[in-house]
Amino acid sequence: MRTKLLSLCFLLMTAGAFSQNINGRLTDDGAQPVEFANVVLLALPDSTFLQGTISAADGTFQLPSDGKTERLLRISCIGYTTIYKSCASGNMGDIPLTLDTQVLNEVVVRALLPATRMRGDALVTNVQAGVLSKAGSATDVLGKIPGIIQKDKSSFEVFGKGAPLIYINGRQVRDASELESLRSEDIKEVELITNPGAKYDSTVKSVIRIKTVKRQGDGFGFNVRSSWYQWDQRDLIEEVRMNYRHNGLDVFGAFRYDYGESYRYGQLTQTIYADETWTQKNNITEHKHRTNEYRAEAGLNYQISDEHSVGVRYTCDAAADTRSHMGILSDIIRSGQPYDQIDNNIYNLNSPSPSHRVNAYYNGKVGELEIDFNADYFTNSNSLVSRTVEESKNYEDREVNSVGYVENSLAAAKLILTYPVLGGNISWGGEYTYTHRNDDYVNPENYVPTTYSLIEESNISAFAEYNRKFPFGQLAAGVRYEHIRFDYFEEDKRMDDQSRTYDNWFPNVSFGTTLGKVQTQLSYTAKTIRPSCRQLSNTVAYVNRFTAETGNPTLKPSLFHDVTLSASWKFLQASVSYQLVNDPILYWSRPVEDNPGAAILYQENYDKIPSVRAFVAASPTIGLWTPRISLGLIKQWLDMESGGETAHLDHPQFTFGLSSSFKLPADFLLNVDYYLCGKGHSQNYYFGRVGHLLGASLRKSLLKEVLDVTLGMSDILYKNKPFNTASSPYMYLTMDNRFDTREVYLAVRYHFNASRNKYKGTGTGEEILRRL
């Protein structure tokens, strides 16, 4: 089957090599690219329609031609004068378009594109055209894009699709600080892809692509940021980024320091259905927890020519040893009667070793063949020394000591080739990743087993994807093949029952068109959700004499099918999806054989979970007010046995978001953001409390926009207090937590000639890194 796929790719490439094309690039008066222009090929002399296309984001277009007959090219775009040019074949170079303005009583009227619209496979938000350009940083911008939910100051989620991969100018973001250091004034547009194609890893369900404004000039530049967060606890972020550019050489570096303090108060009630009903009520206090983290980065990029560039980047992450103390007071109830009270004090010493990552890339073009190659290497390790002092009211006391050691390494490479074929583009290539993980756990008292485990996993992927614009719409289709070998070892012995091999095909297809003034897209993708290395580990971690946690080496990846219909009209966007997850991974439990009142917590595959997800957003501009309003609905169907009864886990969950920006006098910008998450089910969890998150910030640029100052407050109402339950056949959990989410913050950024570096490495093996 693989041979047939490669043969098809070769035939399509060969067919394109012998075809003739008419291509060029559309520009405006300032030599900037013009996108979404209609380019139509007409026959002479009767102007009969032959072919049509739309210019891309970089202004380029391409149409097939026989290369012999003289044709007429008609180019039109809203806001520009329509032009005609005669042609036969070949590259027509840059074609300038002239603005079409109407002067009425000294007022210039120009047609403007909507701030958010559909383009190809993405929902595109124009940042430069509106108030988002003054939002602050890329973090502030993403939190206001329709369909993107900002979970906290450094993480995002796409509605109904989970955590996205984020790219800046084609390079994947591996550190959230990169978003904070990118100013909103430097962002051209943001593309949101909710059903990524075959060139992305099969685990990737959403992608955010940020494109920046092109900056010119050489020399030295730097960007300095200092942020301070304060309420009950304190957080600090200090960062400096520098780069030097001269001709084709670009040398860059960065250093970041993070200091954090946190605490947690919570109540966890655990009901176990065994020979009798056992209930464990836990009051949890996690005392002030301090972290000191450092990141250093250096690299260089060399632009050999306009067609070729190479580069290398090195990143080192380090953290100081961290001590933590958690107290858990547990009341144990057996069949409704008090059984024991246990006072647990857990002391941990976490000692991470520095992690190292190297990325190298080549990006080039040979003729019409585009080449994108990346290679990565990553390694890290961590040790955790834990001491648990357990005082029982009615039975013997315990002291439990353990040492855990984890060591990870990864090697990965990825190649993507793109070639124009039959008026469109075909992309094909492959990816290889290899991971190695040692996971050792020693408990001298033998309350839980001492284990020495090793996981080795290799993933070989091949993919092909074709997309083409037609006068009636745009079609994209692709397929990805993945061969995964997973080997699990205990005491250097391969465990055949827990080792396995997977061979999977992941197709995708999408079609987008315009119906009147409504842009629409229908798409289908198949994806997977792979268990993390921790979920696959056989290590058993001691919590108390009634609870332990472990992994499950027999877990299978989940297969994920998604059909989505999206639409965009003026300032309105909407989508509805049907999703089916086979073998979903759920939080699970089982009783201990010789101690039925105790439970082991782990993950388990379930049969399947179907669900429907709907989303609608509006982004109008009303005078000085620019609101972004969103409403979402998630509804699943899941029945499960729990405590001898059938639990119907199908309560729908609603979300609501309102983000407002106000332009104030003296160029102040006020942002007010509100997000509500309602009650409802997700997998075997129930979110039992309505969550409210209200934040506000005031921003001002000084010294001709060289200095940016932002003063704000997050979780003003202090209502982000999750209360969740989890159902499984042998156990029912309730979790009520309090975190220090309310903060006042001050962020100061100073930038001098701070153009973005030209590094084009995209990185590979990112999903494997997250699983490690």
Side-chain angles (χ1 to χ4, degrees):
M1 190 66 183
R2 279 179 282 178
T3 303
K4 292 180 180 179
L5 178 61
L6 295 174
S7 299
L8 175 60
C9 295
F10 176 77
L11 290 173
L12 289 172
M13 185 181 72
T14 305
F18 288 99
S19 66
Q20 298 290 326
N21 293 313
I22 299 171
N23 54 63
R25 178 174 176 267
L26 306 181
T27 63
D28 59 16
D29 294 339
Q32 295 299 310
V34 176
E35 56 182 335
F36 295 117
N38 293 307
V39 184
V40 177
L41 191 64
L42 305 174
L44 291 174
D46 56 358
S47 297
T48 303
F49 174 85
L50 298 176
Q51 298 282 346
T53 188
I54 299 173
S55 61
D58 59 359
T60 59
F61 67 89
Q62 182 173 276
L63 289 166
S65 172
D66 59 14
K68 300 177 182 179
T69 308
E70 191 75 9
R71 305 295 189 190
L72 185 65
L73 204 63
R74 185 182 71 197
I75 303 172
S76 61
C77 184
I78 295 176
Y80 295 90
T81 302
T82 300
I83 63 173
Y84 294 84
K85 283 185 172 290
S86 59
C87 58
S89 66
N91 191 338
M92 301 183 67
D94 286 356
I95 303 174
L97 302 183
T98 304
L99 285 172
D100 182 14
T101 62
Q102 302 176 33
V103 182
L104 299 176
N105 293 329
E106 299 182 354
V107 176
V108 179
V109 180
R110 293 183 183 179
L112 296 176
L113 290 171
T116 301
R117 75 274 189 195
M118 297 185 69
R119 184 177 70 205
D121 61 347
L123 190 67
V124 183
T125 298
N126 186 340
V127 176
Q128 285 293 303
V131 72
L132 285 180
S133 65
K134 302 296 182 181
S137 67
T139 300
D140 301 311
V141 171
L142 293 185
K144 296 172 174 55
I145 300 295
I148 300 178
I149 301 169
Q150 186 170 0
K151 305 298 289 183
D152 52 46
K153 56 177 176 274
S154 62
S155 65
F156 298 89
E157 186 176 288
V158 174
F159 179 82
K161 306 289 184 174
L165 292 186
I166 303 177
Y167 291 83
I168 298 176
N169 293 334
R171 178 181 59 81
Q172 184 168 344
V173 174
R174 293 182 284 271
D175 179 14
S177 68
E178 293 188 60
L179 299 175
E180 275 296 313
S181 64
L182 176 57
R183 301 168 62 235
S184 57
E185 290 88 344
D186 294 329
I187 300 175
K188 178 185 176 184
E189 62 185 22
V190 176
E191 299 178 349
L192 173 60
I193 304 172
T194 55
N195 274 5
K199 69 177 65 174
Y200 297 98
D201 187 276
S202 61
T203 60
V204 178
K205 297 189 288 297
S206 61
V207 171
I208 296 173
R209 295 192 300 227
I210 300 173
K211 295 184 178 180
T212 63
V213 177
K214 188 176 182 181
R215 302 297 185 191
Q216 303 292 336
D218 290 342
F220 175 77
F222 64 87
N223 189 326
V224 180
R225 177 169 71 101
S226 178
S227 300
W228 166 71
Y229 302 82
Q230 182 70 54
W231 197 254
D232 293 330
Q233 311 296 323
R234 179 180 51 153
D235 298 326
L236 297 173
I237 300 175
E238 310 294 335
E239 181 183 36
V240 58
R241 292 181 175 271
M242 299 171 289
N243 69 290
Y244 174 76
R245 297 171 62 172
H246 179 69
N247 295 331
L249 179 65
D250 182 22
V251 182
F252 56 91
F255 180 80
R256 173 183 168 115
Y257 168 70
D258 284 71
Y259 172 81
E261 297 176 350
S262 63
Y263 68 82
R264 171 193 174 197
Y265 301 119
Q267 292 181 334
L268 187 148
T269 302
Q270 174 180 305
T271 302
I272 300 171
Y273 307 108
D275 56 337
E276 300 177 82
T277 300
W278 293 77
T279 301
Q280 183 181 158
K281 296 181 178 181
N282 304 288
N283 288 288
I284 303 170
T285 302
E286 184 172 359
H287 300 274
K288 183 179 288 189
H289 180 67
R290 296 180 176 90
T291 58
N292 290 273
E293 299 177 349
Y294 308 86
R295 163 167 288 207
E297 179 182 286
L300 62 86
N301 174 82
Y302 185 63
Q303 191 88 16
I304 302 172
S305 67
D306 290 340
E307 306 292 344
H308 305 276
S309 63
V310 295
V312 62
R313 174 193 296 260
Y314 167 74
T315 305
C316 176
D317 288 294
D321 290 356
T322 302
R323 298 181 182 272
S324 62
H325 173 208
M326 179 184 294
I328 305 176
L329 183 62
S330 305
D331 290 311
I332 313 300
I333 300 171
R334 176 180 180 179
S335 298
Q337 299 299 318
Y339 178 80
D340 196 9
Q341 185 179 76
I342 301 174
D343 187 5
N344 266 12
N345 282 278
I346 304 171
Y347 304 91
N348 290 330
L349 173 61
N350 190 55
S351 302
S353 298
S355 68
H356 305 275
R357 176 168 181 169
V358 179
N359 169 254
Y361 84 93
Y362 164 74
N363 188 280
K365 189 174 184 180
V366 180
E368 293 184 306
L369 178 66
E370 298 178 9
I371 305 170
D372 185 4
F373 173 77
N374 276 263
D376 278 84
Y377 176 76
F378 170 83
T379 180
N380 78 338
S381 62
N382 185 80
S383 67
L384 177 65
V385 179
S386 180
R387 182 171 71 96
T388 300
V389 179
E390 192 174 287
E391 299 178 352
S392 171
K393 182 177 180 179
N394 299 327
Y395 300 92
E396 81 281 357
D397 297 335
R398 286 183 182 180
E399 181 172 319
V400 183
N401 296 278
S402 64
V403 178
Y405 178 76
V406 175
E407 183 179 26
N408 298 301
S409 61
L410 171 143
K414 185 176 183 178
L415 175 66
I416 302 176
L417 303 174
T418 303
Y419 194 82
V421 173
L422 303 177
N425 287 297
I426 184 171
S427 297
W428 76 101
E431 184 172 4
Y432 172 76
T433 60
Y434 169 79
T435 57
H436 177 105
R437 178 184 174 98
N438 284 313
D439 199 341
D440 302 335
Y441 185 85
V442 178
N443 173 224
E445 296 88 3
N446 203 33
Y447 288 117
V448 294
T450 293
T451 56
Y452 299 94
S453 62
L454 167 66
I455 293 175
E456 289 186 341
E457 182 179 292
S458 61
N459 185 336
I460 302 174
S461 307
F463 59 85
E465 189 172 47
Y466 181 76
N467 64 80
R468 179 178 175 180
K469 295 178 182 177
F470 297 92
F472 52 83
Q474 177 164 327
L475 177 68
V479 64
R480 184 182 181 96
Y481 165 77
E482 293 188 353
H483 170 79
I484 299 175
R485 177 170 176 170
F486 175 84
D487 294 314
Y488 184 81
F489 299 83
E490 286 189 5
E491 305 285 353
D492 295 328
K493 179 182 178 182
R494 185 177 187 272
M495 311 302 291
D496 294 335
D497 292 341
Q498 297 169 346
S499 302
R500 61 191 71 87
T501 300
Y502 298 102
D503 292 278
N504 296 105
W505 294 87
F506 300 96
N508 70 279
V509 61
S510 67
F511 176 73
T513 189
T514 301
L515 303 175
K517 295 183 178 181
V518 180
Q519 296 174 294
T520 62
Q521 183 191 71
L522 180 64
S523 60
Y524 162 77
T525 57
K527 297 290 182 179
T528 187
I529 303 172
R530 300 194 190 103
S532 69
C533 291
R534 179 65 186 91
Q535 289 173 323
L536 292 168
S537 172
N538 208 28
T539 299
V540 179
Y542 183 89
V543 179
N544 63 29
R545 66 189 66 189
F546 288 96
T547 308
E549 291 183 324
T550 186
N552 180 6
T554 66
L555 278 178
K556 298 181 292 183
S558 304
L559 293 178
F560 179 93
H561 301 273
D562 184 288
V563 178
T564 298
L565 176 63
S566 303
S568 178
W569 177 77
K570 293 185 178 180
F571 56 81
L572 293 174
Q573 299 84 40
S575 68
V576 59
S577 302
Y578 173 77
Q579 297 180 1
L580 177 65
V581 183
N582 293 317
D583 299 316
I585 299 172
L586 305 184
Y587 192 67
W588 217 248
S589 66
R590 66 174 182 263
V592 179
E593 291 184 5
D594 56 350
N595 185 6
I600 296 180
L601 311 180
Y602 67 109
Q603 282 77 32
E604 185 65 86
N605 290 113
Y606 201 67
D607 180 24
K608 62 183 178 181
I609 301 178
S611 64
V612 170
R613 296 152 192 260
F615 180 81
V616 62
S619 307
T621 298
I622 307 171
L624 300 177
W625 184 34
T626 306
R628 283 160 293 278
I629 308 166
S630 63
L631 181 65
L633 166 67
I634 299 177
K635 162 71 175 178
Q636 68 174 23
W637 289 267
L638 174 62
D639 291 339
M640 177 185 297
E641 293 298 319
S642 180
E645 299 179 354
T646 300
H648 302 286
L649 312 182
D650 54 8
H651 191 284
Q653 184 177 33
F654 290 91
T655 62
F656 172 78
L658 174 60
S659 177
S660 301
S661 299
F662 301 89
K663 290 183 179 180
L664 303 180
D667 290 331
F668 280 94
L669 182 69
L670 174 64
N671 289 299
V672 181
D673 301 307
Y674 173 73
Y675 180 73
L676 179 148
C677 184
K679 300 178 181 180
H681 282 105
S682 177
Q683 294 191 330
N684 59 332
Y685 287 94
Y686 177 70
F687 297 88
R689 178 184 291 138
V690 177
H692 304 268
L693 193 60
L694 176 65
S697 66
L698 185 66
R699 181 176 184 256
K700 171 68 175 176
S701 292
L702 304 168
L703 304 177
K704 296 183 179 181
E705 298 190 348
V706 171
L707 181 67
D708 299 329
V709 180
T710 303
L711 177 65
M713 185 174 182
S714 60
D715 197 9
I716 296 173
L717 303 177
Y718 199 34
K719 292 292 186 180
N720 187 23
K721 301 175 182 179
F723 175 82
N724 307 324
T725 66
S727 300
S728 63
Y730 297 105
M731 188 167 66
Y732 181 78
L733 289 178
T734 65
M735 294 157 282
D736 190 357
N737 288 308
R738 300 287 188 275
F739 301 97
D740 54 330
T741 53
R742 180 162 57 182
E743 294 176 310
V744 174
Y745 61 90
L746 174 67
V748 180
R749 300 179 180 89
Y750 179 79
H751 41 89
F752 170 77
N753 192 26
S755 55
R756 303 294 297 175
N757 69 65
K758 298 179 180 180
Y759 196 81
K760 298 180 180 179
T762 59
T764 185
E766 297 298 330
E767 178 58 30
I768 302 296
L769 284 175
R770 282 205 291 241
R771 292 171 58 213
L772 291 175

